[in-house]
Amino acid sequence: MSSLTLSKRRKRIVWALPFVLLLTVLYGLHYGSVSIPPQEIWTVFFSGGDPLYRQILIDLRLPRVAIGLLVGACLAAAGALLQGVMRNPLADPGVIGVSAGGGVAAILTMVVWPQAGFWLPAAAFAGALASSLAVYFLAWDKGASPVKIVLAGVAVNALLGAVTSGLMVVYSDRVQAVIPWLAGGLEGRSWHHLRFMAPYAVAGLLLSVPAIKPANLLLLGDDSAKLLGQRVELQRMLLILLASLLAGTAVSVAGLVSFVGLVVPHAMRLLVGDDYRYLLPLSVAGGAALVTLADTAARTWFDPIELPVGILLACLGAPFFLILLRRRKRLI
């Protein structure tokens, strides 16, 4: 692809994504078991409006849409950073054990200490961060190469997966409360969950801005980055910690939502190239739009039941990812 064609494509996508995000938010606020006309949405936000519509929008849909935006943005940013750190376009937050660590911590809270349910988001976040730190230090041997990190991540994921299965067997009488969280979803999420995750999510996304330069330099390879005066191991660890913060924040509220951190950055890389000045912000916007749109579809398309958004994303993400792989030669 010529640089001129790539530049034009980047400009089109930069202009299009904000409109896509806006339409996605309006779609999430409009549709549900009770459809609210667009003019009523405007009235509720700016001049009071019908009390029933106001309650539905302010108390139910608005926090859920906001959480969907933050969850998608965090997962996509984490996936984009990890793919750069590991120089592997198929890497995602699950590679370094974030999802598995958060899952074990959440299950422990739900089935062993159900009375401490208030601390579920904090426990999931702590577990995700602890597992990613464990992976990094297990991979350390005078340095932590991307290959070592992936191998350590596979081992830690296997161990944590066994622990998860063991907990579900031992506490089989309480497993029903765990299944929706493992499937990944935003059902019942409220302002409380938004207030918990927003500071971590905003901090992680803001810290992603200065991470753009080291992420671009690490793409050159360790030797080239060192010749340019970069402290490769330190930067790699800091980027992994940042990705863990982002992914752990999302997992702590939404559960094990899959494919966002893998598909969105990979799709954006095929469209706009490897330059993180474009890749990272566009991945953030794309992830936010995808999760919000998928969550709205999951709670409206299958009425009267509500499908967990993690299941819908997995069903849509796998074939979409295969299509991306088949189109790779044409898009690059």
Side-chain angles (χ1 to χ4, degrees):
M1 182 188 299
S2 69
S3 59
L4 181 60
T5 302
L6 182 59
S7 177
K8 289 181 178 179
R9 174 176 286 176
R10 285 171 174 170
K11 289 179 180 179
R12 286 197 293 265
I13 295 175
V14 167
W15 280 103
L17 270 180
F19 292 103
V20 172
L21 269 175
L22 178 60
L23 291 175
T24 300
V25 170
L26 291 175
Y27 178 67
L29 295 175
H30 172 54
Y31 282 101
S33 56
V34 176
S35 294
I36 301 177
Q39 64 270 20
E40 286 292 339
I41 296 175
W42 177 272
T43 303
V44 165
F45 284 120
F46 294 100
S47 59
D50 184 274
L52 176 60
Y53 287 155
R54 184 174 182 81
Q55 183 179 12
I56 293 173
L57 282 173
I58 302 300
D59 295 340
L60 301 177
R61 292 187 188 169
L62 185 59
R64 183 161 176 169
V65 167
I67 290 172
L69 291 172
L70 288 178
V71 166
C74 288
L75 289 175
L81 290 172
L82 290 175
Q83 289 172 13
V85 167
M86 300 181 184
R87 298 194 297 275
N88 184 347
L90 301 182
D92 80 325
V95 171
I96 61 168
V98 171
S99 298
V104 168
I107 290 171
L108 276 171
T109 303
M110 287 186 283
V111 303
V112 180
W113 300 290
Q115 68 277 10
F118 177 81
W119 296 103
L120 173 61
F125 169 71
L129 188 58
S131 62
S132 62
L133 287 172
V135 167
Y136 189 84
F137 287 111
L138 286 172
W140 183 267
D141 182 17
K142 297 179 180 179
S145 69
V147 173
K148 291 178 182 176
I149 293 172
V150 171
L151 292 176
V154 170
V156 170
N157 270 322
L159 174 61
L160 293 175
V163 173
T164 299
S165 299
L167 286 171
M168 294 179 70
V169 169
V170 172
Y171 295 95
S172 57
D173 56 323
R174 308 178 189 175
V175 76
Q176 194 62 36
V178 176
I179 294 176
W181 193 90
L182 291 176
L186 302 179
E187 182 179 2
R189 300 303 182 263
S190 64
W191 289 109
H192 160 70
H193 300 90
L194 182 61
R195 283 191 294 268
F196 169 82
M197 77 170 298
Y200 299 101
V202 172
L205 292 172
L206 290 177
L207 288 172
S208 298
V209 177
I212 290 174
K213 181 179 179 181
N216 271 333
L217 290 172
L218 287 177
L219 287 176
L220 302 174
D222 290 3
D223 293 337
S224 298
K226 288 177 182 177
L227 288 175
L228 293 172
Q230 303 300 308
R231 301 176 66 181
V232 171
E233 296 301 341
L234 177 61
Q235 289 180 345
R236 180 177 288 124
M237 183 182 72
L238 291 176
L239 289 177
I240 289 175
L241 290 177
L242 176 57
S244 300
L245 170 63
L246 289 163
T249 300
V251 166
S252 69
V253 172
L256 304 184
V257 177
S258 60
F259 271 103
V260 179
L262 175 65
V263 171
V264 174
H266 190 67
M268 289 301 169
R269 181 175 284 104
L270 295 177
L271 293 172
V272 303
D274 290 321
D275 190 341
Y276 272 79
R277 293 176 299 172
Y278 298 95
L279 177 62
L280 190 58
L282 293 178
S283 294
V284 167
L290 176 62
V291 172
T292 306
L293 182 63
D295 180 58
T296 304
R299 64 181 167 82
T300 57
W301 290 2
F302 305 94
D303 192 57
I305 67 169
E306 181 173 324
L307 187 71
V309 67
I311 295 177
L312 181 61
L313 283 170
C315 293
L316 297 177
F320 180 69
F321 187 62
L322 293 175
I323 293 172
L324 286 178
L325 290 178
R326 291 184 62 86
R327 296 185 61 190
R328 184 182 178 91
K329 291 183 179 179
R330 193 149 43 109
L331 287 171
I332 294 180

